[in-house]
mmCIF file of all heavy atoms in Angstrom:
data_model
loop_
_atom_site.group_PDB
_atom_site.id
_atom_site.type_symbol
_atom_site.label_atom_id
_atom_site.label_comp_id
_atom_site.label_asym_id
_atom_site.label_seq_id
_atom_site.Cartn_x
_atom_site.Cartn_y
_atom_site.Cartn_z
ATOM 1 N N THR R 241 39.392 153.706 119.015
ATOM 2 C CA THR R 241 40.342 153.823 120.137
ATOM 3 C C THR R 241 39.591 153.941 121.447
ATOM 4 O O THR R 241 38.421 154.161 121.526
ATOM 5 C CB THR R 241 41.218 155.083 119.999
ATOM 6 O OG1 THR R 241 40.371 156.263 119.907
ATOM 7 C CG2 THR R 241 42.128 154.925 118.707
ATOM 8 N N THR R 242 40.351 153.678 122.546
ATOM 9 C CA THR R 242 39.767 153.655 123.931
ATOM 10 C C THR R 242 40.319 154.853 124.721
ATOM 11 O O THR R 242 41.454 155.321 124.505
ATOM 12 C CB THR R 242 40.095 152.343 124.594
ATOM 13 O OG1 THR R 242 39.489 152.372 125.948
ATOM 14 C CG2 THR R 242 41.563 152.148 124.807
ATOM 15 N N LEU R 243 39.533 155.219 125.712
ATOM 16 C CA LEU R 243 39.936 156.225 126.747
ATOM 17 C C LEU R 243 40.614 155.589 127.931
ATOM 18 O O LEU R 243 41.121 156.232 128.759
ATOM 19 C CB LEU R 243 38.723 157.079 127.162
ATOM 20 C CG LEU R 243 38.084 157.935 126.039
ATOM 21 C CD1 LEU R 243 36.772 158.561 126.533
ATOM 22 C CD2 LEU R 243 39.103 159.048 125.625
ATOM 23 N N SER R 244 40.545 154.237 128.051
ATOM 24 C CA SER R 244 41.146 153.539 129.101
ATOM 25 C C SER R 244 42.675 153.670 129.061
ATOM 26 O O SER R 244 43.234 153.751 128.045
ATOM 27 C CB SER R 244 40.749 152.062 129.050
ATOM 28 O OG SER R 244 41.502 151.296 130.017
ATOM 29 N N ARG R 245 43.233 153.616 130.313
ATOM 30 C CA ARG R 245 44.715 153.632 130.426
ATOM 31 C C ARG R 245 45.226 152.487 131.307
ATOM 32 O O ARG R 245 46.308 152.577 131.788
ATOM 33 C CB ARG R 245 45.154 155.027 130.957
ATOM 34 C CG ARG R 245 44.853 156.169 130.077
ATOM 35 C CD ARG R 245 45.637 156.200 128.799
ATOM 36 N NE ARG R 245 45.450 157.427 128.096
ATOM 37 C CZ ARG R 245 44.527 157.578 127.040
ATOM 38 N NH1 ARG R 245 43.679 156.527 126.764
ATOM 39 N NH2 ARG R 245 44.382 158.703 126.448
ATOM 40 N N ASP R 246 44.495 151.427 131.452
ATOM 41 C CA ASP R 246 44.835 150.381 132.320
ATOM 42 C C ASP R 246 46.084 149.680 131.906
ATOM 43 O O ASP R 246 46.244 149.309 130.776
ATOM 44 C CB ASP R 246 43.671 149.290 132.348
ATOM 45 C CG ASP R 246 42.288 149.880 132.963
ATOM 46 O OD1 ASP R 246 42.442 150.864 133.621
ATOM 47 O OD2 ASP R 246 41.357 149.259 132.802
ATOM 48 N N GLY R 247 46.946 149.537 132.870
ATOM 49 C CA GLY R 247 48.144 148.763 132.637
ATOM 50 C C GLY R 247 49.251 149.390 131.892
ATOM 51 O O GLY R 247 50.254 148.644 131.528
ATOM 52 N N LEU R 248 49.225 150.582 131.487
ATOM 53 C CA LEU R 248 50.216 151.227 130.641
ATOM 54 C C LEU R 248 51.434 151.541 131.441
ATOM 55 O O LEU R 248 51.481 151.844 132.566
ATOM 56 C CB LEU R 248 49.669 152.460 130.008
ATOM 57 C CG LEU R 248 48.433 152.367 129.078
ATOM 58 C CD1 LEU R 248 48.107 153.714 128.519
ATOM 59 C CD2 LEU R 248 48.745 151.329 127.985
ATOM 60 N N ARG R 249 52.606 151.458 130.682
ATOM 61 C CA ARG R 249 53.971 151.669 131.348
ATOM 62 C C ARG R 249 54.647 152.932 130.793
ATOM 63 O O ARG R 249 55.525 153.413 131.313
ATOM 64 C CB ARG R 249 54.814 150.506 131.159
ATOM 65 C CG ARG R 249 54.312 149.189 131.848
ATOM 66 C CD ARG R 249 55.229 148.003 131.451
ATOM 67 N NE ARG R 249 55.043 147.732 130.028
ATOM 68 C CZ ARG R 249 56.009 147.176 129.265
ATOM 69 N NH1 ARG R 249 57.171 146.923 129.793
ATOM 70 N NH2 ARG R 249 55.843 146.966 127.959
ATOM 71 N N SER R 250 54.284 153.381 129.610
ATOM 72 C CA SER R 250 54.959 154.410 128.875
ATOM 73 C C SER R 250 54.885 155.784 129.641
ATOM 74 O O SER R 250 53.882 156.034 130.216
ATOM 75 C CB SER R 250 54.341 154.590 127.464
ATOM 76 O OG SER R 250 54.818 155.759 126.880
ATOM 77 N N PRO R 251 55.894 156.567 129.518
ATOM 78 C CA PRO R 251 55.870 157.899 130.097
ATOM 79 C C PRO R 251 54.768 158.800 129.440
ATOM 80 O O PRO R 251 54.257 159.724 130.186
ATOM 81 C CB PRO R 251 57.194 158.493 129.702
ATOM 82 C CG PRO R 251 58.128 157.355 129.507
ATOM 83 C CD PRO R 251 57.225 156.268 128.917
ATOM 84 N N HIS R 252 54.265 158.382 128.308
ATOM 85 C CA HIS R 252 53.106 159.253 127.692
ATOM 86 C C HIS R 252 51.752 158.699 128.056
ATOM 87 O O HIS R 252 50.807 159.151 127.480
ATOM 88 C CB HIS R 252 53.303 159.164 126.233
ATOM 89 C CG HIS R 252 54.480 159.880 125.662
ATOM 90 N ND1 HIS R 252 54.791 161.177 125.861
ATOM 91 C CD2 HIS R 252 55.472 159.386 124.912
ATOM 92 C CE1 HIS R 252 55.959 161.485 125.326
ATOM 93 N NE2 HIS R 252 56.388 160.432 124.709
ATOM 94 N N ARG R 253 51.682 157.766 129.037
ATOM 95 C CA ARG R 253 50.401 157.177 129.273
ATOM 96 C C ARG R 253 49.317 158.146 129.763
ATOM 97 O O ARG R 253 48.112 157.809 129.664
ATOM 98 C CB ARG R 253 50.589 156.052 130.280
ATOM 99 C CG ARG R 253 51.095 156.442 131.636
ATOM 100 C CD ARG R 253 51.379 155.281 132.547
ATOM 101 N NE ARG R 253 51.890 155.621 133.915
ATOM 102 C CZ ARG R 253 53.232 155.831 134.119
ATOM 103 N NH1 ARG R 253 54.061 155.722 133.159
ATOM 104 N NH2 ARG R 253 53.645 156.170 135.311
ATOM 105 N N ALA R 254 49.739 159.262 130.283
ATOM 106 C CA ALA R 254 48.706 160.176 130.841
ATOM 107 C C ALA R 254 48.234 161.204 129.798
ATOM 108 O O ALA R 254 47.348 162.016 130.064
ATOM 109 C CB ALA R 254 49.332 161.035 132.004
ATOM 110 N N GLU R 255 48.788 161.125 128.587
ATOM 111 C CA GLU R 255 48.296 162.085 127.574
ATOM 112 C C GLU R 255 46.780 161.759 127.247
ATOM 113 O O GLU R 255 46.403 160.678 127.248
ATOM 114 C CB GLU R 255 49.048 161.894 126.271
ATOM 115 C CG GLU R 255 50.529 162.307 126.465
ATOM 116 C CD GLU R 255 50.736 163.819 126.590
ATOM 117 O OE1 GLU R 255 49.771 164.541 126.260
ATOM 118 O OE2 GLU R 255 51.820 164.268 126.940
ATOM 119 N N THR R 256 46.070 162.849 126.918
ATOM 120 C CA THR R 256 44.654 162.694 126.569
ATOM 121 C C THR R 256 44.549 162.247 125.153
ATOM 122 O O THR R 256 45.450 162.540 124.301
ATOM 123 C CB THR R 256 43.829 163.995 126.797
ATOM 124 O OG1 THR R 256 44.461 165.034 125.973
ATOM 125 C CG2 THR R 256 43.826 164.432 128.244
ATOM 126 N N GLY R 257 43.461 161.613 124.805
ATOM 127 C CA GLY R 257 43.177 161.151 123.484
ATOM 128 C C GLY R 257 42.803 159.702 123.436
ATOM 129 O O GLY R 257 42.591 159.099 124.472
ATOM 130 N N GLY R 258 42.744 159.185 122.247
ATOM 131 C CA GLY R 258 42.387 157.788 122.054
ATOM 132 C C GLY R 258 43.568 156.870 122.021
ATOM 133 O O GLY R 258 44.615 157.140 121.256
ATOM 134 N N LEU R 259 43.528 155.772 122.798
ATOM 135 C CA LEU R 259 44.625 154.807 122.836
ATOM 136 C C LEU R 259 44.374 153.660 121.820
ATOM 137 O O LEU R 259 43.285 153.123 121.821
ATOM 138 C CB LEU R 259 44.681 154.237 124.211
ATOM 139 C CG LEU R 259 45.671 152.991 124.448
ATOM 140 C CD1 LEU R 259 47.105 153.521 124.400
ATOM 141 C CD2 LEU R 259 45.364 152.360 125.786
ATOM 142 N N SER R 260 45.412 153.394 121.056
ATOM 143 C CA SER R 260 45.302 152.300 120.059
ATOM 144 C C SER R 260 46.506 151.351 120.298
ATOM 145 O O SER R 260 47.490 151.748 120.963
ATOM 146 C CB SER R 260 45.212 152.785 118.689
ATOM 147 O OG SER R 260 46.422 153.531 118.341
ATOM 148 N N GLY R 261 46.495 150.221 119.654
ATOM 149 C CA GLY R 261 47.600 149.355 119.695
ATOM 150 C C GLY R 261 47.387 148.148 120.652
ATOM 151 O O GLY R 261 46.247 147.832 121.036
ATOM 152 N N ALA R 262 48.452 147.558 121.025
ATOM 153 C CA ALA R 262 48.420 146.252 121.764
ATOM 154 C C ALA R 262 47.480 146.196 122.960
ATOM 155 O O ALA R 262 46.756 145.284 123.214
ATOM 156 C CB ALA R 262 49.796 145.819 122.190
ATOM 157 N N PRO R 263 47.466 147.305 123.847
ATOM 158 C CA PRO R 263 46.635 147.255 125.014
ATOM 159 C C PRO R 263 45.093 147.194 124.766
ATOM 160 O O PRO R 263 44.305 146.883 125.611
ATOM 161 C CB PRO R 263 46.929 148.552 125.806
ATOM 162 C CG PRO R 263 48.258 148.981 125.266
ATOM 163 C CD PRO R 263 48.302 148.498 123.792
ATOM 164 N N LEU R 264 44.715 147.509 123.471
ATOM 165 C CA LEU R 264 43.295 147.500 123.096
ATOM 166 C C LEU R 264 42.784 146.164 122.686
ATOM 167 O O LEU R 264 41.610 145.873 122.547
ATOM 168 C CB LEU R 264 43.096 148.551 121.971
ATOM 169 C CG LEU R 264 41.729 148.809 121.405
ATOM 170 C CD1 LEU R 264 40.828 149.205 122.548
ATOM 171 C CD2 LEU R 264 41.751 149.900 120.382
ATOM 172 N N PHE R 265 43.727 145.134 122.427
ATOM 173 C CA PHE R 265 43.361 143.930 121.866
ATOM 174 C C PHE R 265 42.228 143.166 122.559
ATOM 175 O O PHE R 265 41.159 142.865 122.033
ATOM 176 C CB PHE R 265 44.505 143.018 121.642
ATOM 177 C CG PHE R 265 44.115 141.716 121.007
ATOM 178 C CD1 PHE R 265 43.909 141.601 119.641
ATOM 179 C CD2 PHE R 265 43.950 140.523 121.809
ATOM 180 C CE1 PHE R 265 43.592 140.424 119.040
ATOM 181 C CE2 PHE R 265 43.603 139.348 121.175
ATOM 182 C CZ PHE R 265 43.441 139.302 119.792
ATOM 183 N N GLU R 266 42.407 142.985 123.862
ATOM 184 C CA GLU R 266 41.334 142.214 124.619
ATOM 185 C C GLU R 266 40.061 142.936 124.724
ATOM 186 O O GLU R 266 38.937 142.300 124.484
ATOM 187 C CB GLU R 266 41.910 141.882 125.964
ATOM 188 C CG GLU R 266 42.968 140.780 125.943
ATOM 189 C CD GLU R 266 43.148 140.065 127.223
ATOM 190 O OE1 GLU R 266 42.228 140.203 128.166
ATOM 191 O OE2 GLU R 266 44.143 139.390 127.438
ATOM 192 N N LYS R 267 40.131 144.200 125.065
ATOM 193 C CA LYS R 267 38.876 144.928 125.257
ATOM 194 C C LYS R 267 38.060 145.046 123.905
ATOM 195 O O LYS R 267 36.829 144.817 123.853
ATOM 196 C CB LYS R 267 39.230 146.373 125.662
ATOM 197 C CG LYS R 267 37.998 147.237 126.056
ATOM 198 C CD LYS R 267 38.485 148.532 126.661
ATOM 199 C CE LYS R 267 37.313 149.237 127.389
ATOM 200 N NZ LYS R 267 37.711 150.373 128.143
ATOM 201 N N SER R 268 38.782 145.381 122.771
ATOM 202 C CA SER R 268 38.071 145.389 121.521
ATOM 203 C C SER R 268 37.572 144.075 121.042
ATOM 204 O O SER R 268 36.450 143.988 120.400
ATOM 205 C CB SER R 268 39.012 146.021 120.460
ATOM 206 O OG SER R 268 40.130 145.198 120.284
ATOM 207 N N THR R 269 38.215 142.977 121.317
ATOM 208 C CA THR R 269 37.800 141.634 120.966
ATOM 209 C C THR R 269 36.623 141.209 121.779
ATOM 210 O O THR R 269 35.705 140.519 121.224
ATOM 211 C CB THR R 269 38.954 140.666 121.070
ATOM 212 O OG1 THR R 269 40.102 141.144 120.359
ATOM 213 C CG2 THR R 269 38.583 139.308 120.462
ATOM 214 N N ARG R 270 36.586 141.599 122.984
ATOM 215 C CA ARG R 270 35.401 141.247 123.797
ATOM 216 C C ARG R 270 34.120 141.979 123.272
ATOM 217 O O ARG R 270 33.069 141.453 123.232
ATOM 218 C CB ARG R 270 35.620 141.522 125.312
ATOM 219 C CG ARG R 270 36.669 140.655 125.882
ATOM 220 C CD ARG R 270 36.747 140.772 127.413
ATOM 221 N NE ARG R 270 38.000 140.124 127.898
ATOM 222 C CZ ARG R 270 38.110 138.797 128.033
ATOM 223 N NH1 ARG R 270 37.091 137.990 127.785
ATOM 224 N NH2 ARG R 270 39.217 138.287 128.492
ATOM 225 N N THR R 271 34.311 143.282 122.961
ATOM 226 C CA THR R 271 33.276 144.016 122.324
ATOM 227 C C THR R 271 32.754 143.413 121.025
ATOM 228 O O THR R 271 31.552 143.301 120.778
ATOM 229 C CB THR R 271 33.684 145.484 122.120
ATOM 230 O OG1 THR R 271 34.036 146.064 123.369
ATOM 231 C CG2 THR R 271 32.540 146.320 121.474
ATOM 232 N N LEU R 272 33.692 142.981 120.247
ATOM 233 C CA LEU R 272 33.372 142.329 118.998
ATOM 234 C C LEU R 272 32.660 141.124 119.111
ATOM 235 O O LEU R 272 31.509 140.864 118.504
ATOM 236 C CB LEU R 272 34.718 142.067 118.198
ATOM 237 C CG LEU R 272 34.649 141.133 117.000
ATOM 238 C CD1 LEU R 272 33.959 141.866 115.853
ATOM 239 C CD2 LEU R 272 36.011 140.700 116.610
ATOM 240 N N ALA R 273 33.034 140.290 120.080
ATOM 241 C CA ALA R 273 32.345 138.960 120.335
ATOM 242 C C ALA R 273 30.900 139.226 120.906
ATOM 243 O O ALA R 273 29.993 138.519 120.437
ATOM 244 C CB ALA R 273 33.093 138.131 121.320
ATOM 245 N N ARG R 274 30.771 140.181 121.747
ATOM 246 C CA ARG R 274 29.401 140.462 122.253
ATOM 247 C C ARG R 274 28.501 141.028 121.162
ATOM 248 O O ARG R 274 27.337 140.675 121.095
ATOM 249 C CB ARG R 274 29.565 141.451 123.448
ATOM 250 C CG ARG R 274 28.212 141.853 124.023
ATOM 251 C CD ARG R 274 27.465 140.595 124.633
ATOM 252 N NE ARG R 274 26.146 140.996 125.253
ATOM 253 C CZ ARG R 274 25.128 140.342 125.061
ATOM 254 N NH1 ARG R 274 24.988 139.202 124.329
ATOM 255 N NH2 ARG R 274 23.915 140.742 125.740
ATOM 256 N N LEU R 275 29.108 141.826 120.349
ATOM 257 C CA LEU R 275 28.331 142.385 119.183
ATOM 258 C C LEU R 275 27.920 141.277 118.297
ATOM 259 O O LEU R 275 26.775 141.252 117.734
ATOM 260 C CB LEU R 275 29.149 143.418 118.464
ATOM 261 C CG LEU R 275 28.356 144.446 117.569
ATOM 262 C CD1 LEU R 275 27.356 145.165 118.363
ATOM 263 C CD2 LEU R 275 29.423 145.361 117.008
ATOM 264 N N SER R 276 28.786 140.278 118.028
ATOM 265 C CA SER R 276 28.463 139.162 117.153
ATOM 266 C C SER R 276 27.315 138.416 117.727
ATOM 267 O O SER R 276 26.325 138.015 117.051
ATOM 268 C CB SER R 276 29.698 138.326 117.083
ATOM 269 O OG SER R 276 29.355 137.087 116.410
ATOM 270 N N GLN R 277 27.324 138.328 119.014
ATOM 271 C CA GLN R 277 26.213 137.558 119.718
ATOM 272 C C GLN R 277 24.947 138.361 119.611
ATOM 273 O O GLN R 277 23.835 137.718 119.333
ATOM 274 C CB GLN R 277 26.580 137.338 121.253
ATOM 275 C CG GLN R 277 25.595 136.499 122.013
ATOM 276 C CD GLN R 277 25.998 136.429 123.440
ATOM 277 O OE1 GLN R 277 26.252 137.387 124.159
ATOM 278 N NE2 GLN R 277 26.004 135.171 124.024
ATOM 279 N N LEU R 278 24.985 139.566 119.820
ATOM 280 C CA LEU R 278 23.730 140.457 119.842
ATOM 281 C C LEU R 278 23.152 140.540 118.437
ATOM 282 O O LEU R 278 21.887 140.631 118.246
ATOM 283 C CB LEU R 278 24.113 141.825 120.283
ATOM 284 C CG LEU R 278 24.330 142.046 121.768
ATOM 285 C CD1 LEU R 278 25.028 143.444 122.037
ATOM 286 C CD2 LEU R 278 23.113 141.889 122.545
ATOM 287 N N THR R 279 23.980 140.596 117.409
ATOM 288 C CA THR R 279 23.480 140.717 115.995
ATOM 289 C C THR R 279 23.165 139.326 115.373
ATOM 290 O O THR R 279 22.606 139.313 114.282
ATOM 291 C CB THR R 279 24.465 141.476 115.084
ATOM 292 O OG1 THR R 279 25.752 140.807 115.153
ATOM 293 C CG2 THR R 279 24.623 142.866 115.616
ATOM 294 N N GLU R 280 23.502 138.247 116.023
ATOM 295 C CA GLU R 280 23.196 136.863 115.620
ATOM 296 C C GLU R 280 23.579 136.609 114.197
ATOM 297 O O GLU R 280 22.880 135.892 113.409
ATOM 298 C CB GLU R 280 21.695 136.695 115.800
ATOM 299 C CG GLU R 280 21.226 136.803 117.211
ATOM 300 C CD GLU R 280 19.741 136.638 117.397
ATOM 301 O OE1 GLU R 280 18.946 136.888 116.367
ATOM 302 O OE2 GLU R 280 19.286 136.306 118.457
#
Side-chain angles (χ1 to χ4, degrees):
T241 56
T242 181
L243 293 172
S244 171
R245 297 293 187 265
D246 294 344
L248 298 182
R249 296 173 294 150
S250 168
H252 293 301
R253 62 186 178 274
E255 294 289 346
T256 59
L259 171 72
S260 60
L264 185 55
F265 180 77
E266 287 203 14
K267 187 172 196 174
S268 61
T269 307
R270 293 187 192 285
T271 300
L272 169 69
R274 180 60 179 137
L275 198 56
S276 173
Q277 184 182 52
L278 287 165
T279 55
E280 300 177 335

